[in-house]
Amino acid sequence: ARLYEDRQDSRRAEKIYNSIVDKYPEYSACHLRMAIISAREGQYEKAHNLLNKILAGNPTELDAKYLNGVFLAMAQQWDKGLKAFAEVKGIDREDKATLLQMANIWFDTAFQDKKDVRNQEKMLKNLGHALEYYERVLRLEPNNIYAANGVGAVLAQKGYLEFAKDIFTDVHEATAAEI
């Protein structure tokens, strides 16, 4: 099934996953994979339902909770996405991927109503939350280029362009060294 997924043949992959689930209904990995396929195809409701199946049987399944947050964020359901990630964070406070996703949501929501000057305060508040989460990730993993890039983006939006430029340069050099 994974080979079919890699070859972008979702129908065959799902057929195999469904046959496995028919025999082993509690095998959550198949539900996770089918949820990922559904989300890739823009079927967020279906993906959400598959994840809820897993969570009904195992309410502390971190992968399902995390993916639920990712899919909700992809569908721009920011509040629900933050809530899903908060549930993961409640189980694993140091999950870097979750903290990074939460930072990204706070960053993205800072600019929802850019045209409305009254939302300047909300924008700065959300950027502050984003910065907080990016910094938490960096404390846990100092070389995390995604979090460092996020810090640079927040600083640039707040007008600290020289600091942001330095961070972006460091991120660029770090990624160039990995290639």
Side-chain angles (χ1 to χ4, degrees), residues 32-33 37 46 54 57 82 117 144 153 165 173:
L32 286 172
R33 296 307 315 164
I37 290 169
K46 182 179 176 185
I54 296 168
L82 279 174
V117 176
N144 188 307
K165 181 181 171 189
E173 288 172 0

Side-chain angles (χ1 to χ4, degrees), residues 60-123:
T60 59
E61 170 65 50
L62 284 179
D63 290 334
K65 286 182 179 291
Y66 176 79
L67 283 176
N68 192 39
V70 170
F71 298 155
L72 289 166
M74 288 170 71
Q76 296 185 351
Q77 294 182 25
W78 310 119
D79 291 337
K80 290 180 180 180
L82 279 174
K83 183 179 177 202
F85 289 127
E87 289 178 15
V88 174
K89 195 176 79 157
I91 297 168
D92 182 356
R93 297 190 60 75
E94 295 185 351
D95 185 88
K96 295 174 285 294
T98 297
L99 296 172
L100 191 60
Q101 288 288 350
M102 292 177 84
N104 290 338
I105 289 175
W106 283 114
F107 185 84
D108 289 342
T109 58
F111 306 103
Q112 284 181 320
D113 300 317
K114 278 198 288 193
K115 296 176 185 171
D116 190 348
V117 176
R118 293 172 290 171
N119 286 321
Q120 183 73 14
E121 188 175 307
K122 178 185 173 192
M123 180 186 82

